Amino acid sequence: MIATLPIKPDELREIPVFHRLPDEPVHSLVAVMVRRHYAPGQVIFLEGEQANSLWFVSEGRVKIIKHSLNGRVQGLCLMNRGKCFGSCPLFDMENNPATAQALDNVTLFVLPGEALQQLKGRDPHLVKALLHIYSQRLEHLARVSEVLGSWTVSDRINDCLLTYANREGQQSYVELTQEKLAAMVGTVREVVTRHLRSLEREGIVRNETGRIIILNADALLPPCGCEDRRTPA
Amino acid sequence: MIATLPIKPDELREIPVFHRLPDEPVHSLVAVMVRRHYAPGQVIFLEGEQANSLWFVSEGRVKIIKHSLNGRVQGLCLMNRGKCFGSCPLFDMENNPATAQALDNVTLFVLPGEALQQLKGRDPHLVKALLHIYSQRLEHLARVSEVLGSWTVSDRINDCLLTYANREGQQSYVELTQEKLAAMVGTVREVVTRHLRSLEREGIVRNETGRIIILNADALLPPCGCEDRRTPA
DNA sequence: TTTTAGATGTGACCTAAATCACGTCAGGCG
DNA sequence: CGCCTGACGTGATTTAGGTCACATCTAAAA
């Protein structure tokens, strides 16, 4: 964690939520926000902990997980550049509902809860933007519940590959070790390995160490076409 | 669905969110809210459908479910008297993230989206109360994700029994058929039957048709004590 | 009282996926 | 160069829990 360098307005504007925000509120924000660095594996906050700040990812990736009881870990999602996470003081959430952990070297912008409380009265645009984030969060979690409940592990792996793929020219690739991928979808490394091998044999992906290259994204699409999910037959 | 009888202010006040609301906003609310009746099994709204109203349960129970692909159904929660559900126009949610279905004969109070849009400017208390509801929803969904990801079916059944138990004197009981209980926890009837039988043999519950009586609630507590969930050992 | 539909009990079986127990392979480094 | 260490590959075994196929059992309807 390096001594905090002030955040520049332009940097803040790279976060989609703040992209179109007028100068005035942006300046208020950078005045109260703090820059933080985390090393891979470092825990940013723990589930249940009291810490009502909002976090924005400037660089690197953060994984949001639920880990419990038997040591099993269930990944909920992976936040990359521009994403926002943390309990929102706009709600009455006092405890973090999940754990956040750095996946790579990450740089975060932190908006402390008290600061947001003061700002929220001033700029309704800001409030609206944040609410929008949380509506997406709700939808996402609802989706996670569905996926966990009725998808097979293989489908979840495929889904995870598509969700976290980076595009670079024509190629898509995922920069995760199989171990981490396993944690994301809530399974174990061996199962991931086997499934990736079978995908490779079918020519759908190519495996390298610490990276999976997606050759045929279409073949990874969810089980039964996404549309028309209301006629289970 | 019977011709809509107007909603009385006292009825509205039985909904916890509105309990302490001053007379003025309550009157505005009853003016725009609508009473609706649904028969058991009737679908209130479908996942994906566009319908941004808020629903409050006056009588009976509503289950919120995700059903998908292979016909499997995953219950997310059960809303009883006083609970609130539906996509919130305070967010930008346009589509229902899940399906709502009447479990018994239910009476609902509906607050149409446009009406809420108009009211929200007027009473900040109302807005705050609704945001609070949604923060709980977020926490709940996060919990569902955890539960689905790492609990065993037996634990989920136990959890469901505790969550939806009615108290009556010293006895707690759950008014659900095994079929419905199975849908709630995302499994099949046979598994529920077997687990309930074994609980009965251990003297923890007594099974009647359409109802489970809980004799020893402590024995149903989650796998490893709820507190201190941040040291997975 | 019969009928009948729904709710429940239970065994036999089968499959996905976790667990265990290795063996391989590549890169960093003393 | 050998020596680790961390990532990957793969079989064998085990198990939770879903599927199938029935046998009750009960309460409400006829």
Side-chain angles (χ1 to χ4, degrees):
Chain A
M1 220 177 299
I2 306 172
T4 71
L5 206 69
I7 300 167
K8 281 171 283 188
D10 281 355
E11 288 181 305
L12 194 62
R13 282 247 170 63
E14 290 187 9
I15 311 288
V17 197
F18 301 132
H19 190 51
R20 300 184 168 283
L21 212 59
D23 281 347
E24 194 265 313
V26 165
H27 280 90
S28 319
L29 281 169
V30 291
V32 292
M33 289 177 76
V34 179
R35 182 198 306 267
R36 290 258 186 90
H37 297 276
Y38 292 88
Q42 204 177 346
V43 168
I44 297 162
F45 56 72
L46 277 171
E47 173 183 351
E49 238 174 32
Q50 193 206 0
N52 55 359
S53 306
L54 260 182
W55 308 71
F56 298 87
V57 180
S58 168
E59 284 293 335
R61 294 171 299 173
V62 172
K63 61 179 174 183
I64 309 296
I65 54 179
K66 278 275 193 185
H67 60 170
S68 63
L69 2 135
N70 44 19
R72 185 70 56 75
V73 172
Q74 174 61 54
L76 294 185
C77 54
L78 208 163
M79 301 310 212
N80 47 25
R81 187 186 185 77
K83 294 287 168 25
C84 161
F85 64 94
S87 329
C88 182
L90 284 179
F91 299 86
D92 297 330
M93 260 189 276
E94 282 145 11
N95 299 337
N96 296 309
T99 296
Q101 190 180 16
L103 192 66
D104 327 294
N105 278 301
V106 289
T107 304
L108 303 176
F109 299 156
V110 189
L111 176 55
E114 314 85 54
L116 178 54
Q117 286 294 0
Q118 296 175 351
L119 286 177
K120 81 172 183 187
R122 268 182 251 168
D123 194 335
H125 291 288
L126 179 58
V127 173
K128 187 151 197 265
L130 295 179
L131 283 181
H132 188 247
I133 291 175
Y134 277 79
S135 85
Q136 290 179 329
R137 181 92 30 104
L138 260 177
E139 288 186 75
H140 175 260
L141 272 181
R143 178 156 177 282
V144 168
S145 306
E146 173 188 354
V147 166
L148 283 178
S150 57
W151 289 22
T152 138
V153 168
S154 300
D155 290 332
R156 301 212 303 265
I157 295 173
N158 291 348
D159 186 62
C160 194
L161 288 178
L162 288 177
T163 305
Y164 299 120
N166 298 310
R167 247 144 291 270
E168 185 179 275
Q170 322 246 315
Q171 295 280 310
S172 297
Y173 62 94
V174 180
E175 282 214 315
L176 286 170
T177 75
Q178 302 186 351
E179 191 90 46
K180 290 178 178 172
L181 186 53
M184 295 295 306
V185 301
T187 182
V188 292
R189 186 190 56 80
E190 293 93 317
V191 175
V192 171
T193 298
R194 268 188 266 270
H195 183 245
L196 285 179
R197 294 290 297 137
S198 83
L199 286 183
E200 190 167 46
R201 271 190 287 274
E202 296 176 54
I204 297 170
V205 303
R206 188 165 71 248
N207 298 312
E208 301 179 358
T209 61
R211 160 200 306 240
I212 300 117
I213 293 156
I214 299 174
L215 302 173
N216 178 2
D218 292 342
L220 296 176
L221 287 178
C224 89
C226 284
E227 84 290 343
D228 199 15
R229 56 176 48 185
R230 68 185 60 170
T231 50
Chain B
M1 220 180 297
I2 305 173
T4 71
L5 207 68
I7 300 167
K8 282 172 283 188
D10 281 354
E11 287 181 304
L12 194 61
R13 282 246 170 63
E14 290 187 7
I15 311 288
V17 197
F18 302 132
H19 189 51
R20 300 184 168 283
L21 210 61
D23 280 347
E24 194 265 313
V26 165
H27 280 90
S28 318
L29 281 169
V30 292
V32 291
M33 289 176 76
V34 179
R35 182 197 307 268
R36 290 256 186 91
H37 297 276
Y38 291 87
Q42 204 176 345
V43 169
I44 298 161
F45 56 72
L46 277 172
E47 174 183 351
E49 237 174 32
Q50 191 206 1
N52 55 358
S53 306
L54 261 183
W55 308 72
F56 298 88
V57 180
S58 169
E59 284 293 336
R61 294 171 298 174
V62 172
K63 61 179 174 186
I64 309 296
I65 54 179
K66 278 275 194 186
H67 60 170
S68 62
L69 3 134
N70 45 20
R72 184 73 53 77
V73 173
Q74 174 61 55
L76 294 185
C77 57
L78 208 163
M79 302 310 214
N80 48 23
R81 187 187 185 78
K83 294 288 169 23
C84 161
F85 63 95
S87 329
C88 182
L90 284 179
F91 299 86
D92 297 330
M93 260 189 274
E94 281 145 13
N95 300 338
N96 296 309
T99 297
Q101 188 180 18
L103 192 66
D104 327 294
N105 278 301
V106 288
T107 304
L108 303 176
F109 299 156
V110 190
L111 176 56
E114 313 86 55
L116 178 54
Q117 286 294 0
Q118 295 175 352
L119 287 177
K120 81 172 182 187
R122 268 181 253 169
D123 194 336
H125 290 287
L126 179 58
V127 172
K128 185 150 198 263
L130 294 178
L131 282 182
H132 188 247
I133 290 175
Y134 277 79
S135 86
Q136 290 178 328
R137 179 92 30 102
L138 260 177
E139 288 185 76
H140 175 261
L141 271 181
R143 179 157 176 281
V144 168
S145 307
E146 173 189 353
V147 166
L148 283 177
S150 58
W151 289 22
T152 129
V153 168
S154 299
D155 291 332
R156 301 214 302 265
I157 296 173
N158 291 349
D159 185 63
C160 194
L161 288 177
L162 288 177
T163 306
Y164 299 119
N166 298 311
R167 248 144 290 271
E168 186 179 275
Q170 322 245 314
Q171 294 280 311
S172 297
Y173 62 94
V174 179
E175 282 214 315
L176 287 169
T177 75
Q178 302 186 351
E179 190 90 47
K180 289 177 179 173
L181 186 54
M184 295 295 306
V185 301
T187 182
V188 292
R189 187 190 56 81
E190 293 93 318
V191 174
V192 171
T193 299
R194 271 188 264 268
H195 183 246
L196 285 179
R197 295 289 298 137
S198 84
L199 286 182
E200 190 168 47
R201 272 190 287 272
E202 296 176 54
I204 297 170
V205 304
R206 188 163 71 249
N207 298 313
E208 301 179 358
T209 60
R211 160 196 309 236
I212 300 117
I213 292 155
I214 298 173
L215 303 173
N216 178 3
D218 291 341
L220 296 177
L221 287 178
C224 90
C226 283
E227 83 290 343
D228 198 17
R229 55 174 50 185
R230 71 184 60 170
T231 51

